[in-house]
């Protein structure tokens, strides 16, 4: 008899996993970029992103209850809309996966470069790529064992950051008050700048849906997973709004010497060089561990696609005979990561968000498709929960998609065009259904190592 995963996780454990995946410290990692884009109104950007994510999280919860299996957006759209559309949504998400490790390494490299200006920034990025790829090639699951410790460390750094910020403000620095509307209105902020900032801020939320990968290890998944998805989005969003608000009070406006590493400068301002060093260490460790897990998850997805002949099996379905790791996929993601040498944080996070917003939009549409299908079969679902709410979520996601960096939109559309051509090849010009990705064999490892 084949072994199966044991259902041991309750709501608390699943929520903690989701929050660890979000990497709460990332709100400070990209604070400067969001504040610069919004002209000093970063909390407003996070509030808009939070609203969008809550509508979408509600839709993910509905789909997770209806289809308690791994595969997330790919599976939901395939099961409710069309197998070919599902493939293209999965293809769009693949863009997200491809660039996620690159962005993580870029943010970590930006902070190290600002702290050690004598060392070329590209050297830090290459070091991240080589070290992370080497560990993943060897099959070392550092992120699996470090998740809880890392989460605690991040919470402590964030708590000290907020407390020191409060002390700084009480002392009369910054805006000199704990309650002020300036962080929400900014200095010359407009709806357009805040929306552009929200499109970047949404990067901080990526992974709230990752708890769906724990479906087969969760007690009462049809009830627990939807609640966990909403709680992760809500708690994570609350942290992002609070921390960005306090940080914006300490540093009003969006002008920085280097926006990609602004929070390190603010940390030193509020806590001196010692806390500045602790903050940098915390951010770099978080980015390293997150990058390690993100690359591992990406390569698992590529391996699943190769194993099921969605991608060339001989290449992507190959495992190293000794280490049992997908060598080609690891090397490929490492090479993609080197693109960070010529990228900036704002543009690279937009690449990530193109795939994410595409998936989010179609998950909302999948809920509506499920409503229509159930209605045709004589079963009635609530129109507010299954039509109105997902329609609002889809509209907001599409709106944020249009606010992304122009280069990101261009790259995303090119990527989708390539996906259409590849889909035509796989389906003999759309005459047969595309191959289906089976996530069951990778479920356990993904659920533990995504960060």
């Amino acid at each position: 008899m084949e072994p199966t995963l044991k259902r041991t996780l309750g709501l608390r454990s699943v929520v903690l996993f989701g929050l660890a995946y979000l990497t709460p410290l990332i709100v400070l990692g990209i604070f400067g970029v969001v504040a610069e884009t919004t002209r000093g109104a970063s909390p407003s950007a996070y509030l808009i992103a939070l609203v969008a994510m809550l509508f979408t999280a509600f839709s993910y919860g509905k789909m997770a209850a209806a289809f308690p299996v791994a595969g997330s957006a790919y599976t939901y759209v395939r099961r409710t809309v069309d197998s070919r559309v599902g493939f293209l949504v999965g293809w769009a998400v693949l863009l997200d996966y491809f660039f996620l490790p690159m962005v993580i390494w870029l943010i970590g490299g930006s902070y190290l470069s600002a702290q050690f200006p004598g060392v070329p920034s590209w050297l830090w990025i290459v070091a991240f790529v080589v070290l992370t790829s080497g560990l993943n090639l060897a099959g070392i699951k550092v992120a699996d064992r470090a998740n809880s410790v890392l989460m605690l460390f991040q919470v402590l750094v964030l708590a000290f950051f907020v407390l020191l910020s409060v002390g700084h403000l009480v002392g009369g620095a910054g805006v000199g008050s704990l309650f002020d509307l300036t962080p929400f209105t900014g200095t010359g902020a407009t709806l357009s700048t805040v929306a552009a900032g929200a499109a970047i801020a949404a990067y901080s939320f990526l992974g709230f849906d990752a708890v769906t990968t724990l479906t087969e290890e969760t007690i009462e998944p049809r009830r627990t997973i939807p609640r966990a998805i909403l709680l992760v989005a809500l708690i994570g969003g609350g942290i992002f709004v609070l921390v960005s608000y306090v940080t914006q009070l300490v540093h009003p406006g969006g002008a920085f010497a280097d926006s990609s590493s602004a929070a390190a400068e603010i940390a030193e301002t509020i806590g001196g060089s010692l806390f500045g060093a602790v903050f940098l260490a915390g951010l770099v460790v978080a980015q390293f561990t997150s990058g390690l897990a993100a690359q591992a998850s990406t390569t698992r997805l590529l391996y699943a696609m190769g194993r099921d002949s969605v991608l060339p099996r001989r290449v992507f379905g190959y495992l190293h005979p000794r280490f049992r790791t997908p060598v080609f996929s690891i090397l490929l993601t490492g090479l993609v990561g080197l693109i960070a040498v010529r990228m900036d944080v704002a543009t690279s996070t937009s690449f990530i968000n193109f795939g994410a917003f595409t998936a989010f939009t179609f998950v909302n549409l999948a809920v509506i498709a499920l409503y229509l299908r159930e209605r045709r079969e004589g079963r009635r679902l609530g129109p507010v929960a299954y039509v109105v709410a997902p329609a609002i979520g889809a509209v907001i996601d599409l709106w944020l998609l249009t606010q992304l960096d122009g280069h990101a939109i261009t790259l995303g559309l090119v990527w989708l065009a390539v996906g259409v051509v590849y889909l035509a090849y796989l389906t003999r010009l759309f005459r047969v259904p595309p191959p289906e990705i089976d996530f069951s064999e990778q479920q356990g490892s993904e659920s533990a190592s995504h960060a």
Side-chain angles (χ1 to χ4, degrees):
M1 182 177 178
E2 288 291 327
T4 58
L5 296 170
K6 188 176 181 181
R7 297 189 184 278
T8 59
L9 300 178
L11 180 62
R12 178 178 173 275
S13 298
V14 177
V15 170
L16 284 176
F17 169 84
L19 291 175
Y21 191 116
L22 253 61
T23 315
L25 204 57
I26 195 59
V27 62
L28 292 175
I30 63 172
F31 169 78
V33 174
V34 176
E36 183 179 63
T37 303
T38 59
R39 298 177 187 172
S42 59
S44 294
Y46 273 103
L47 274 176
I48 291 177
L50 173 58
V51 170
M53 294 306 105
L54 285 177
F55 275 105
T56 302
F58 186 71
S59 290
Y60 267 94
K62 293 297 182 186
M63 298 309 291
F67 305 102
V69 293
S72 199
Y74 163 81
T75 297
Y76 302 153
V77 176
R78 186 181 181 107
R79 297 279 185 91
T80 59
V81 180
D82 182 81
S83 61
R84 288 153 295 195
V85 177
F87 174 89
L88 289 176
V89 169
W91 184 265
V93 172
L94 190 58
L95 179 68
D96 178 350
Y97 272 78
F98 259 142
F99 280 94
L100 182 57
M102 181 198 75
V103 177
I104 292 170
W105 295 326
L106 175 58
I107 294 173
S110 296
Y111 275 85
L112 284 170
S113 180
Q115 187 69 22
F116 304 101
V119 180
S121 59
W122 64 264
L123 195 58
W124 294 116
I125 295 171
V126 170
F128 268 117
V129 171
V130 172
L131 185 57
T132 304
S133 298
L135 288 172
N136 272 320
L137 282 170
I140 299 176
K141 307 287 180 62
V142 176
D144 289 354
R145 299 188 295 270
N147 244 4
S148 298
V149 175
L150 175 62
M151 185 63 187
L152 177 61
F153 186 49
Q154 287 185 70
V155 170
L156 287 175
V157 171
L158 280 173
F160 276 115
F161 190 96
V162 172
L163 289 174
L164 289 171
S165 295
V166 169
H168 192 71
L169 293 166
V170 171
V175 300
S177 172
L178 293 176
F179 304 99
D180 197 289
L181 290 177
T182 303
F184 293 99
T185 58
T187 53
T190 64
L191 179 60
S192 177
T193 60
V194 173
I200 296 173
Y203 169 76
S204 302
F205 289 87
L206 295 189
F208 72 87
D209 59 313
V211 296
T212 58
T213 63
L214 297 175
T215 297
E216 295 180 22
E217 296 165 280
T218 300
I219 301 169
E220 298 182 11
R222 289 181 184 272
R223 179 171 176 267
T224 302
I225 294 297
R227 292 173 63 194
I229 292 172
L230 279 171
L231 284 172
V232 169
L234 188 60
I235 295 171
I239 292 172
F240 299 150
V241 172
L242 173 64
V243 174
S244 61
Y245 170 75
V246 172
T247 309
Q248 201 75 82
L249 286 175
V250 172
H251 187 108
F256 305 95
D258 181 3
S259 61
S260 63
S261 59
E265 180 183 336
I266 297 173
E268 193 164 335
T269 298
I270 63 176
S273 57
L274 177 60
F275 181 69
V278 171
F279 172 79
L280 179 66
L283 188 69
V284 171
V285 168
Q287 292 303 106
F288 173 76
T289 309
S290 181
L292 184 70
Q295 186 186 35
S297 294
T298 300
T299 56
R300 282 172 176 76
L301 174 62
L302 293 173
Y303 170 69
M305 295 177 78
R307 183 194 63 211
D308 300 332
S309 299
V310 177
L311 293 176
R313 184 183 181 91
R314 288 188 177 181
V315 177
F316 292 94
Y318 172 78
L319 291 177
H320 190 279
R322 178 182 174 188
F323 299 117
R324 309 295 293 174
T325 52
V327 176
F328 179 81
S329 298
I330 292 172
L331 294 176
L332 181 61
T333 53
L335 288 173
V336 170
L338 292 177
I339 300 175
V341 172
R342 304 299 297 272
M343 299 279 287
D344 60 70
V345 175
T347 302
S348 59
T349 51
S350 291
F351 286 156
I352 296 293
N353 289 346
F354 181 93
F357 285 142
T358 300
F360 293 165
T361 299
F362 274 93
V363 168
N364 281 304
L365 295 177
V367 175
I368 299 175
L370 177 64
Y371 171 85
L372 295 174
R373 189 182 74 181
E374 293 295 296
R375 186 175 181 180
R376 285 194 301 270
E377 296 177 1
R379 293 185 289 270
R380 289 191 172 272
L381 301 174
V384 174
Y386 285 86
V387 178
V388 177
I392 294 173
V395 170
I396 297 175
D397 288 332
L398 278 174
W399 177 58
L400 289 174
L401 181 62
T402 63
Q403 304 301 313
L404 292 174
D405 179 275
H407 296 297
I409 294 176
T410 301
L411 175 67
L413 292 175
V414 169
W415 179 260
L416 282 178
V418 172
V420 171
V421 173
Y422 185 56
L423 178 61
Y425 165 75
L426 284 177
T427 59
R428 301 175 186 174
L429 295 179
F430 310 106
R431 289 195 294 265
V432 298
E436 184 170 3
I437 305 172
D438 177 13
F439 291 89
S440 59
E441 292 182 29
Q442 64 186 33
Q443 172 92 20
S445 56
E446 256 194 332
S447 67
S449 65
H450 227 340

